[in-house]
């Protein structure tokens, strides 16, 4: 018995036939066949080899083309290799670092006061981060991150120039409302970087800008030149008094308010406790004060309600109604207690991650 | 063969195997396992094949129901699939999540005497078979140069995208989340709609040439106006849904442990929180969970909570089981799994433990009074019936409102509740922009959203001057050889729209 695999006869002529795997059937049909132009079995057996090779090559090409097509279609649903590329990383301290990420559309659309959501990897959570800077010309956005929890620590470890973020979406929330005569921009802790695009926008729109930024000590100061460029006055506060005023940003804020009676707006960005203190500082002066909320967010598109904050008598969703609200109406205690909701889980995640590392 | 009568058909519904309640309450695998061949054939025999069927007009997308059931009984399964796909894009999904008892099965004459034909289960069976065998009905597509943008990859957007792609347009879907599918992804849990079914249906869309781009927040990244003016879209469909969750406004809602069903479901379904800490998103569910509301979302939240490790799960509803808007099958499944139902109960306050966590609910008993405008009897509180009910997690599933982002960022007219104003043809106040799904109708069902998506596609085709697609995509275009009086039959009037 001859080995006649892949061969069949049609009108006595011998043909070669290769079955097509299910995945490629849409493109190629059920099988690939080719005539050997001979009625003689012996000849056909000889001719079968090269023809078979050719057909198999065809199958392989089709599979690769399909894969490439799919990769192309999914280019905006990136995996870790073709996500959003990190172009630059800069470390300001052992916990604070800067990432410059390539996102041309986002850089074009972003406005001061808005935030984005980052996903580090496929199993990652959606991390809301205020945009620290953006450049439509370069097509990049800048994020300043404090590595405090598991996800941000992991970012600190994994994100270097040349690596990719799994996802990046935004800009979210309403941009800041411009148009103040004289404005004080206060940034502390995590809020130092995000206050920068705000004061730049205010300066460019013609406001008189007083910047108040707080750091722990002289060594941890960053972007001083950038701040100076856009501030008419810059007040630096440090916890240890190594530069500027010794103490919290509220001291700087109070000094500025006393000096300028015609300030018509204050914007404060930073940890909730700092924003609360700023609100209390400006209250006696009766100056309109805006704070940028940073509650727990899942989707950031107004769908989960996890980010709800109490503003006056109303419940607002920070992601679609904010993130900026009237500081004198925000219930900060509510915000802080809600931020603590996952403390236990967060500690557990961090501990597990550290254990896995060591 | 003699005509089938109510006496000659199999009297009992064919069984569909389900996972045992005790087993399934511990896992996220699908509950209803679907028909096997034998049962499907028995069930298909139960259709009387009415000459003037009630079920077809009762279906939001007018599936030829007797047609596909007859094909099943003739064992022509591919034929049944072809009939289904003429009307619905997603048979495997609709067979699972449609409220058939209010639609096709509700008007089935067999149901007058016996249990109605299990249309949904048969649809699902064919849908699953198509996925398993890789069946696809892809018409030959010759690009006609029109570019269509779809905002939101939920059921409305998917349906509209499919129809426009079949009409040879270049379709792009934008999704704000990092995975496509909308409510089918983040809302409906794995045990009711497995992700692989959704993935297969999305793959079908891609095979039609539809591009799906995730992580794009339309409105903020670019506006609808920019899509028309700068990105070159000829028409845009908005299907952003009604995902904005409602709360009741009672005291204690900002305590830790109070969350919306959307948040719970998103954390579990989209973010993998049940596998925390392997996935980074925590769930933070307590041991005693109360879900307020009794719709389908509430059922999902209840059953997800149970599977995610809650010990006792309660459903609080201010009316009775008869008024519950959930699908009967989901309600029954939830009951079997050991969920406690507290009918005629409404919460009045959420109490704290002194540490900003939920300790208990203060509830009130209700009784049913006169029917209200919706025709359901209005619940009236019973005086002095308040009591405390110990729970540590409260989940709100009392409905959702319109997603506000498109309204905030475009000039499209909204109605007073924030939904997009659309006419019968689903055209919005902006030329070339159509809307459908929950963002127009208010919170409704998957199939209704698909129905509006298809209606919007019809309107778009009229607007763009595209001929009825069925006439075009059934024939193989001859590339001008069959031109009539020198007019190529595949040639279309090409209009571009600019909005000031």
């Amino acid at each position: 018995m001859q080995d006649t695999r892949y061969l069949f006869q049609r009108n006595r002529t011998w043909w070669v036939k290769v079955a097509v795997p299910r995945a490629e059937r849409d493109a190629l049909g059920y099988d690939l066949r080719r005539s050997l132009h001979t009625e003689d079995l012996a000849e056909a057996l000889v001719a079968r080899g090269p023809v078979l090779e050719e057909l198999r090559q065809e199958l392989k090409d089709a599979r690769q083309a399909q894969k490439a097509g799919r990769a192309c279609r999914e280019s905006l649903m990136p995996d870790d290799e073709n996500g959003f590329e990190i172009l630059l990383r800069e470390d300001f301290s052992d916990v604070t670092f800067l990432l410059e990420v390539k996102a041309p559309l986002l850089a074009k659309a972003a406005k001061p006061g808005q935030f984005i959501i980052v996903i580090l990897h496929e199993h990652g959570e959606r991390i809301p981060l205020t945009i620290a800077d953006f450049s439509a010309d370069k097509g990049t956005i800048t994020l300043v991150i404090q590595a405090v929890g598991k996800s941000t620590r992991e970012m600190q470890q994994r994100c270097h120039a040349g690596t990719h973020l799994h996802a990046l979406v935004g800009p979210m929330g309403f941009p800041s409302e411009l148009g103040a005569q004289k404005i004080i921009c206060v940034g502390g802790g995590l809020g130092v970087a995000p206050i920068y695009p705000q004061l730049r926008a205010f300066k460019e729109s013609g406001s008189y800008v007083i910047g108040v930024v707080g750091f722990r000590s002289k060594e941890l100061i960053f972007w001083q030149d950038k701040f100076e460029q856009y501030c008419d006055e810059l007040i630096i506060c440090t916890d240890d008094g190594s530069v500027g005023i010794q103490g919290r940003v509220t001291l700087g804020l109070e000094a500025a308010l006393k000096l300028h009676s015609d300030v018509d707006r204050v914007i404060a960005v930073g940890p909730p406790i700092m924003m609360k203190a700023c609100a209390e500082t400006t209250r006696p002066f009766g100056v309109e004060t805006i704070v940028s909320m940073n509650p727990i967010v899942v989707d950031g598109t107004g769908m989960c309600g996890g980010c709800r904050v109490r503003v006056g008598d109303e419940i607002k969703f920070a992601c679609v109604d904010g993130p900026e609200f009237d500081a004198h109406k925000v219930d900060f205690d509510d915000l802080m207690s809600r931020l603590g909701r996952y403390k236990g889980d967060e500690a557990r995640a961090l501990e597990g991650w550290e254990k896995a590392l060591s | 063969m003699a005509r089938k009568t109510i006496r000659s058909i199999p009297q009992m519904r064919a069984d569909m195997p389900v996972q045992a309640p005790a087993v399934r309450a511990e896992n996220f695998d699908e509950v209803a396992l679907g028909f096997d061949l034998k049962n499907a054939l028995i069930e298909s025999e139960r259709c009387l094949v009415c000459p003037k069927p009630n079920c077809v007009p009762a279906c939001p997308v007018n599936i030829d129901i007797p047609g596909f059931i007859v094909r099943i009984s003739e064992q022509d399964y591919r034929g049944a699939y072809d009939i289904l796909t003429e009307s619905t894009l997603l048979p495997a999904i609709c067979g699972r999540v449609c409220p058939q008892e209010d639609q096709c099965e509700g008007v089935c004459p067999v149901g007058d005497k016996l249990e109605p034909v299990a249309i949904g289960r048969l649809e699902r069976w064919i849908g699953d078979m198509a996925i398993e065998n890789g069946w696809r009905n892809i018409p030959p597509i010759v690009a006609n140069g029109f570019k269509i943008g779809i905002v939101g990859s939920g059921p409305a957007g998917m349906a509209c995208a499919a129809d426009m792609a079949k009409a040879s347009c270049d379709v792009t879907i934008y999704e704000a989340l990092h995975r496509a599918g909308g409510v089918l992804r983040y809302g409906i849990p794995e045990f009711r709609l497995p992700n692989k079914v959704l993935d297969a249906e999305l793959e079908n869309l891609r095979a039609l040439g539809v591009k799906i781009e995730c992580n794009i927040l339309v409105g903020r990244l670019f506006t609808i106006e920019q899509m028309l003016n700068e990105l070159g879209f000829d028409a845009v469909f908005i299907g952003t849904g009604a995902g904005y969750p409602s709360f009741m406004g009672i005291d204690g809602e900002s305590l830790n442990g109070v969350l919306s069903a959307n948040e719970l479901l998103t954390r579990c379904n989209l973010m993998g929180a049940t596998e925390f800490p392997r996935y980074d998103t925590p769930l933070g569910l307590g041991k005693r969970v109360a879900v307020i509301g009794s719709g389908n979302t509430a059922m999902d939240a209840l059953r997800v909570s149970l599977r995610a490790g809650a010990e006792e799960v309660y459903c609080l509803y201010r009316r009775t089981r008869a008024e519950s808007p959930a699908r009967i099958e989901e309600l029954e499944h939830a009951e079997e799994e050991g969920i406690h139902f507290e009918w005629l109960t409404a919460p009045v306050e959420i109490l704290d433990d002194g540490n900003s966590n939920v300790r208990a609910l203060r509830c009130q008993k209700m009784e049913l009074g006169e029917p209200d405008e919706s025709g359901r009897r209005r619940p009236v509180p019973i005086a002095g019936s308040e009591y405390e009910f110990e729970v540590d997690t409260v989940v709100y599933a009392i409905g959702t409102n319109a997603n506000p982002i498109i309204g905030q960022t475009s000039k499209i007219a909204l109605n007073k509740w924030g939904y997009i104003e659309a006419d019968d043809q689903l055209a919005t106040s902006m030329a070339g922009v159509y809307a459908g799904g929950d963002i127009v109708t208010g919170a409704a069902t998957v199939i209704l959203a698909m129905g509006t998506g298809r209606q919007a596609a019809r309107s778009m085709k009229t607007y763009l001057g595209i001929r009825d697609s069925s006439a075009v995509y059934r024939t193989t275009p001859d590339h001008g050889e069959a031109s009539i009086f020198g007019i190529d039959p595949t040639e279309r009037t090409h209009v571009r729209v600019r909005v000031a």
Side-chain angles (χ1 to χ4, degrees):
Chain A
M1 182 74 193
Q2 295 274 11
D3 172 21
T4 57
R5 272 183 302 170
Y6 303 108
L7 290 182
F8 73 103
Q9 245 177 328
R10 195 160 104 180
N11 293 337
R12 296 176 60 198
T13 304
W14 285 101
W15 287 60
V16 176
K17 179 166 83 173
V18 180
V20 175
R22 189 166 285 157
E24 275 82 47
R25 277 184 198 162
D26 283 331
L28 299 177
Y30 252 74
D31 46 34
L32 297 173
R33 31 180 92 184
R34 188 160 303 162
S35 170
L36 296 173
H37 305 291
T38 173
E39 294 180 11
D40 182 56
L41 180 57
E43 269 180 48
L45 283 173
V46 176
R48 175 178 60 180
V51 174
L52 206 52
E53 278 306 301
E54 267 176 50
L55 293 180
R56 281 183 176 151
Q57 187 59 42
E58 214 170 292
L59 263 183
K60 219 169 166 183
D61 292 347
R63 196 171 305 155
Q64 261 163 8
Q66 199 181 26
K67 235 184 225 164
R70 193 176 299 154
C72 172
R73 279 197 298 274
E74 287 175 0
S75 62
L76 274 147
M77 302 199 301
D79 55 29
D80 290 351
E81 283 81 42
N82 54 359
F84 294 83
E85 194 187 352
I86 295 167
L87 300 177
L88 180 82
R89 163 164 169 166
E90 209 177 307
D91 283 80
F92 294 135
S93 74
D94 53 348
V95 290
T96 313
F97 60 102
L98 169 151
L99 297 178
E100 201 174 287
V101 188
K102 192 174 170 191
L105 265 181
L106 191 54
K108 215 175 123 197
K111 295 201 177 63
Q114 292 184 307
F115 68 101
I116 51 105
I117 283 185
V118 170
I119 306 175
L120 182 56
H121 51 71
E122 218 169 294
H123 290 187
E125 59 184 331
R126 294 172 70 91
I127 310 165
L129 293 169
T130 311
I131 302 171
D133 198 3
F134 50 88
S135 160
D137 302 336
K138 282 198 287 180
T140 58
I141 65 156
T142 305
L143 307 169
V144 174
I145 299 143
Q146 265 189 347
V148 284
K150 187 242 168 182
S151 290
T152 41
R153 290 277 297 277
E154 204 177 356
M155 273 180 98
Q156 188 184 28
Q157 190 204 32
R158 287 172 70 143
C159 293
H160 296 282
T163 61
H164 293 76
L165 294 169
H166 181 62
L168 178 65
V169 58
M172 286 155 168
F174 283 103
S176 308
E177 205 177 305
L178 299 176
Q181 284 289 320
K182 200 174 223 184
I183 183 161
I184 306 179
C185 297
V186 190
L190 204 58
V192 173
I195 202 72
Y196 168 70
Q198 304 230 24
L199 56 83
R200 182 178 60 186
F202 276 103
K203 181 71 199 166
E204 282 168 353
S205 73
S207 308
Y208 185 89
V209 177
I210 304 160
V212 180
V213 286
F215 298 94
R216 272 209 315 255
S217 69
K218 188 180 175 190
E219 295 75 50
L220 301 174
I221 294 178
F222 61 89
W223 282 7
Q224 191 175 348
D225 50 335
K226 287 177 103 170
F227 281 111
E228 276 165 355
Q229 191 187 346
Y230 289 102
C231 286
D232 295 287
E233 289 172 41
L234 179 64
I235 302 168
I236 295 178
C237 306
T238 47
D239 290 358
D240 61 0
S242 46
V243 178
I245 299 176
Q246 179 178 7
R248 308 264 179 213
V249 283
T250 42
L251 290 177
L253 172 62
E254 200 172 358
L257 281 168
K258 280 182 179 152
L259 209 62
H260 301 272
S261 56
D262 55 345
V263 166
D264 54 1
R265 199 184 303 169
V266 173
I267 293 189
V269 185
I273 188 84
M274 174 220 125
M275 292 194 286
K276 184 184 179 186
C278 288
E280 291 317 313
T281 308
T282 60
R283 205 187 293 270
F285 293 89
V287 181
E288 180 192 4
T289 306
I290 305 291
V291 286
S292 179
M293 293 285 103
N294 50 0
I296 291 173
V297 169
V298 183
D299 63 290
T301 61
M303 214 176 65
C304 73
C307 64
R308 59 192 191 276
V309 287
R310 190 177 286 277
V311 182
D313 302 330
E314 286 174 287
I315 295 289
K316 297 273 192 189
F317 288 5
C319 64
V320 289
D321 301 323
E324 297 190 343
F325 295 106
D326 182 345
H328 295 150
K329 288 189 182 158
V330 169
D331 184 340
F332 286 100
D333 298 334
D334 195 73
L335 175 74
M336 284 185 269
S337 94
R338 286 182 60 78
L339 277 171
R341 175 173 162 205
Y342 289 104
K343 237 172 212 158
D345 286 323
E346 280 161 10
R348 197 151 63 89
L350 187 59
E351 196 181 311
W353 180 73
E354 278 172 345
K355 204 177 275 173
L357 273 188
S358 61
Chain B
M1 196 183 89
R3 234 197 107 62
K4 285 195 271 187
T5 66
I6 194 87
R7 284 170 191 276
S8 71
I9 60 170
Q11 302 289 295
M12 298 291 287
R13 259 192 179 192
D15 287 332
M16 176 166 71
V18 293
Q19 276 199 70
V23 178
R24 71 188 189 224
E26 312 265 309
N27 68 40
F28 275 88
D29 298 339
E30 195 169 21
V31 169
L33 302 171
F35 277 141
D36 53 18
L37 177 65
K38 193 177 110 229
N39 286 337
L41 288 176
I42 293 174
E43 192 58 40
S44 71
E45 284 303 322
R46 296 184 73 233
C47 177
L48 294 173
V49 199
C50 313
K52 277 189 191 157
N54 292 341
C55 47
V56 178
C59 171
V61 294
N62 302 114
I63 295 174
D64 177 9
I65 291 164
F68 94 83
I69 295 183
V70 167
R71 289 289 190 291
I72 295 178
S73 59
E74 288 167 354
Q75 306 194 14
D76 173 12
Y77 310 124
R78 178 69 204 233
Y81 176 70
D82 293 344
I83 289 184
L84 279 173
T85 49
E86 274 176 27
S87 313
T88 172
L89 168 70
L90 321 161
I93 294 179
C94 293
R96 286 177 167 83
V97 302
C98 267
Q100 290 97 3
E101 64 266 19
D102 301 329
Q103 297 170 351
C104 50
E105 293 179 16
V107 295
C108 176
V110 175
D112 295 347
K113 292 241 168 59
L114 310 168
E115 282 230 67
V117 180
I119 299 168
R121 293 175 181 184
L122 288 170
E123 181 186 10
R124 169 191 163 166
W125 184 65
I126 291 293
D128 285 350
M129 187 184 285
I131 291 172
E132 205 170 297
N133 294 325
W135 292 343
R136 252 176 212 171
N137 285 338
I138 308 294
I141 291 171
V142 184
N144 63 7
F146 285 121
K147 223 175 131 188
I148 308 295
I150 309 267
V151 185
S153 65
M158 283 165 82
C160 185
D163 275 7
M164 294 315 287
K166 283 180 187 170
S168 307
C169 297
D170 174 10
V171 183
T172 309
I173 300 182
Y174 293 113
E175 166 61 45
L177 295 176
H178 56 287
R179 296 182 74 193
V183 73
L184 304 174
R185 180 76 68 188
Y186 76 77
I188 299 179
E190 176 80 13
F191 55 83
R192 210 144 80 72
L193 175 66
N195 272 329
K196 68 176 199 315
V197 173
L198 177 57
D199 289 336
E201 303 288 20
L202 284 167
E203 203 45 53
N204 279 343
L205 263 188
R206 293 204 182 93
L208 281 171
V210 174
K211 287 167 282 212
I212 302 177
E213 302 198 350
C214 294
N215 297 315
I216 306 275
L217 183 63
V218 176
R220 294 281 174 209
L221 192 62
F222 44 77
T223 62
I224 302 288
E225 283 88 337
Q226 281 177 312
M227 286 177 79
L228 292 166
N229 294 337
E230 293 170 29
L231 299 177
F233 286 102
D234 298 290
V236 172
F237 173 79
I238 303 171
T240 50
Y244 193 93
S246 301
F247 291 86
M248 287 172 79
I250 59 176
D251 284 342
E253 276 177 4
S254 53
L255 294 175
N256 288 331
V258 182
L259 69 165
S260 70
N262 266 6
E263 181 174 352
L264 176 76
L265 293 171
T266 306
R267 281 179 186 271
C268 290
N269 302 338
L270 181 73
M271 305 307 299
T274 45
E275 289 185 55
F276 179 81
R278 197 164 79 82
Y279 282 77
D280 288 344
T281 308
L283 184 57
L285 197 72
K287 293 290 168 212
R288 288 171 62 86
V289 179
V291 175
I292 300 165
S294 178
N296 285 318
T297 310
M299 295 304 128
D300 289 345
L302 288 161
R303 298 169 69 196
V304 161
S305 303
L306 193 69
R307 285 162 174 76
E311 282 161 12
E312 300 286 335
V313 184
Y314 298 88
C315 174
L316 272 54
Y317 185 48
R318 60 201 179 117
R319 293 186 166 99
T320 68
R321 189 179 192 274
E323 284 87 18
S324 162
R327 277 179 95 210
I328 298 287
E329 190 178 304
E330 307 308 329
L331 204 55
E332 283 169 358
H333 281 160
E335 284 169 341
E336 287 166 14
E337 285 165 17
I339 284 166
H340 307 284
F341 285 85
E342 304 280 325
W343 305 113
L344 291 166
T345 305
V348 286
E349 192 187 348
I350 305 168
L351 306 167
D352 71 314
D353 66 349
N355 251 335
S356 299
N357 297 314
V358 175
R359 173 178 62 84
L361 267 175
R362 205 146 55 78
C363 299
Q364 192 170 39
K365 279 289 175 193
M366 313 292 270
E367 60 189 353
L368 289 182
E370 293 300 304
D372 61 9
E373 59 273 18
S374 72
R376 297 183 299 182
R377 291 176 66 193
R378 189 193 302 273
V380 184
I382 301 173
S385 64
E386 290 188 10
Y387 65 102
E388 269 186 30
F389 186 74
E390 210 170 287
V391 290
D392 53 14
T393 307
V394 177
V395 180
Y396 275 96
I398 55 169
T400 51
N401 297 312
N403 188 297
I405 295 177
I406 296 296
Q408 288 168 351
T409 55
S410 77
K411 294 200 184 82
I412 294 172
L414 308 178
N415 68 15
K416 62 177 169 176
W417 298 283
Y419 294 98
I420 290 178
E421 193 98 59
D423 64 11
D424 296 345
Q425 303 303 308
L426 297 172
T428 66
S429 61
M430 192 177 287
V433 180
Y434 295 79
D438 286 2
I439 191 65
V440 172
T441 59
T445 59
V446 169
I447 188 75
L448 209 67
M450 279 182 52
T452 56
R454 302 201 72 203
Q455 171 60 47
R458 273 195 292 278
S459 308
M460 267 187 193
K461 285 184 240 173
T462 316
Y463 167 75
L464 296 170
I466 299 173
R467 293 184 297 170
D468 181 49
S469 60
S470 61
V472 177
Y473 72 71
R474 292 270 179 74
T475 59
T476 315
D478 288 326
H479 303 288
E481 282 169 25
S483 63
I484 306 158
F485 309 120
I487 302 167
D488 183 342
T490 58
E491 189 184 303
R492 298 196 180 109
T493 327
H494 196 81
V495 208
R496 289 214 172 255
V497 184
R498 291 287 173 268
V499 180

